[in-house]
Amino acid sequence: MHYTPARPDPKAPAVRINLLSDTQTKPTPAMREAMARAEVGDEQVGDDPTTNELCARVADLLGKEAAVFMPSGTMCNVAATLAYCRPGDEILAHATAHIIAREGGAHAALGGFQITQLPGDDGQFTPETFRAALHPRTRYQPPQVLVSVEQTANIGGGTIWKKTALDEVVRIAKEHGLVTHMDGARLLNATVASGISPRDMTAGWDSAWIDFSKGLGAPIGGVISGTRAFIDDVWRWKQRLGGSMRQSGVCAAACIHALDHHVDRLADDHANARALARGLSQINGIAVQAPETNLVFFKPDGAGVSGDKMVSELRKRGVTLAMMDGRIRACTHLDVTAAMIEEAVGHVRDIVRGA
């Protein structure tokens, strides 16, 4: 077992259509220019003006008191659980959530937390399922401290938590003394697709964060927001985890540019995802989950091609996707055009014909 990422095969064809993830986006020329012009200081002593501006903007966007810039979304989640919980505490989240399936066991390794996996379709648990998982506070069971949701739900197919469900989860949590945390890896995809403002979407949630390195196209970073007291404690963990930076304004400038120029255009990614799903669904034997945002999950097994085989054959044609949770995941983003979607569907059709 090796943990170091493998270098690209130099003999493989160049990637022309990258549907692997929205993390694959490259900074646009305008974003690079903004980064080059950024006014910077030392973040660790609080005098990086660009980073300070970014944090103020995100706090206002999400309707929270304060915010802090982090190198990654994983660090946002980890610092949040470390700030809220103590060793032996229990966190509740969907079974496919990032904090369970995609963060290397960090919450258990670093905090000693127990995460209860809640079931539910499309990457979401219902308020009723959440309520049923709660137990009385006794010395026999771990204290239930935190409930977390992932907006959008990645493994669920990029599905959007409905506002009514979010509000009910908050109500139940507060009734039982739990804090609420929203993993906002693709939060703005959800707000653009639903027409609900980020402030309204996160209302009632004690903390929430935005990932800038996915659909928003920045090369690095997330910003987590909450009360001033919470952010003060997150800063302590940011320092401990090695996330406290120096001239971070160079990276923060990319995030500000993304807020100014890359939010509304997420609708284009959603349109391309729908076009991809339509094209794939017209190929006999391919089962496609209808996308709500920029993620398209499908299975080609019914067409006589395994998922692994399809991914391998597409890679030979310069198209890259990912196997995830037993299905193929295609992710649209700002470096994917409508013409690329049409070409990718054509390649899938040709591979099925040749099976």
Side-chain angles (χ1 to χ4, degrees):
M1 173 63 68
H2 299 284
Y3 299 109
T4 304
R7 298 290 179 89
D9 182 354
K11 299 179 182 178
V15 174
R16 296 179 300 99
I17 304 174
N18 193 332
L19 296 168
L20 185 70
S21 176
D22 40 13
T23 61
Q24 301 289 295
T25 55
K26 304 292 178 64
T28 63
M31 181 179 282
R32 291 177 185 267
E33 183 179 347
M35 296 170 73
R37 294 196 318 266
E39 185 179 355
V40 299
D42 187 339
E43 184 201 52
Q44 283 204 23
V45 298
D47 72 353
D48 189 298
T50 306
T51 301
N52 291 342
E53 178 187 348
L54 172 65
C55 292
R57 287 190 58 175
V58 172
D60 180 67
L61 183 70
L62 301 184
K64 309 302 180 189
E65 291 180 354
V68 58
F69 185 42
M70 305 289 262
S72 69
T74 294
M75 192 175 285
C76 288
N77 278 338
V78 172
T81 61
L82 289 168
Y84 284 131
C85 305
R86 297 295 175 266
D89 284 351
E90 182 179 348
I91 298 167
L92 296 96
H94 191 271
T96 62
H98 285 137
I99 64 172
I100 295 171
R102 290 293 183 271
E103 293 177 354
H107 306 271
L110 300 178
F113 311 137
Q114 173 176 309
I115 304 179
T116 295
Q117 302 183 23
L118 301 180
D121 295 336
D122 299 330
Q124 302 179 27
F125 55 85
T126 65
E128 293 74 20
T129 297
F130 170 46
R131 183 187 290 279
L134 298 173
H135 56 68
R137 290 181 178 260
T138 75
R139 69 177 187 271
Y140 298 106
Q141 294 175 291
Q144 293 179 314
V145 173
L146 171 70
V147 61
S148 177
V149 301
E150 185 180 307
Q151 182 74 302
T152 62
N154 175 19
I155 301 300
T159 58
I160 301 169
W161 277 80
K162 300 297 186 286
K163 183 70 168 68
T164 52
L166 292 174
D167 289 347
E168 183 63 8
V169 169
V170 166
R171 191 185 69 77
I172 295 169
K174 298 310 176 187
E175 179 184 323
H176 290 82
L178 277 72
V179 293
T180 55
H181 173 70
M182 183 180 290
D183 172 337
R186 295 181 175 89
L187 173 59
L188 295 190
N189 287 94
T191 62
V192 168
S194 67
I196 299 171
S197 74
R199 178 182 288 253
D200 287 343
M201 187 71 81
T202 61
W205 290 81
D206 293 306
S207 54
W209 59 271
I210 295 173
D211 194 329
F212 286 93
S213 67
K214 291 187 169 70
L216 295 176
I220 187 174
V223 177
I224 185 168
S225 64
T227 65
R228 288 187 180 85
F230 167 73
I231 294 302
D232 192 56
D233 209 9
V234 166
W235 255 105
R236 181 167 63 104
W237 284 106
K238 171 172 161 137
Q239 189 73 40
R240 285 176 170 175
L241 295 169
S244 186
M245 297 175 278
R246 297 298 183 179
Q247 287 73 40
S248 58
V250 172
C251 296
C255 301
I256 291 173
H257 180 85
L259 286 176
D260 290 339
H261 301 284
H262 292 173
V263 176
D264 291 343
R265 64 145 310 281
L266 291 171
D268 299 336
D269 299 340
H270 303 161
N272 283 335
R274 291 192 296 271
L276 177 60
R278 281 195 303 270
L280 293 172
S281 66
Q282 292 168 3
I283 303 172
N284 287 338
I286 292 188
V288 187
Q289 179 179 348
E292 295 184 13
T293 49
N294 68 323
L295 303 181
V296 180
F297 282 78
F298 66 99
K299 294 188 73 170
D301 304 67
V305 184
S306 70
D308 288 333
K309 178 70 171 176
M310 178 63 73
V311 169
S312 175
E313 290 300 314
L314 285 169
R315 182 64 189 85
K316 294 175 184 177
R317 297 166 182 240
V319 182
T320 181
L321 307 92
M323 285 296 298
M324 195 169 288
D325 195 40
R327 298 179 292 170
I328 299 174
R329 190 191 78 167
C331 185
T332 58
H333 50 79
L334 61 83
D335 290 336
V336 174
T337 65
M340 290 177 180
I341 294 297
E342 185 176 352
E343 181 182 344
V345 172
H347 287 309
V348 173
R349 186 178 291 110
D350 289 345
I351 292 167
V352 168
R353 284 174 180 164

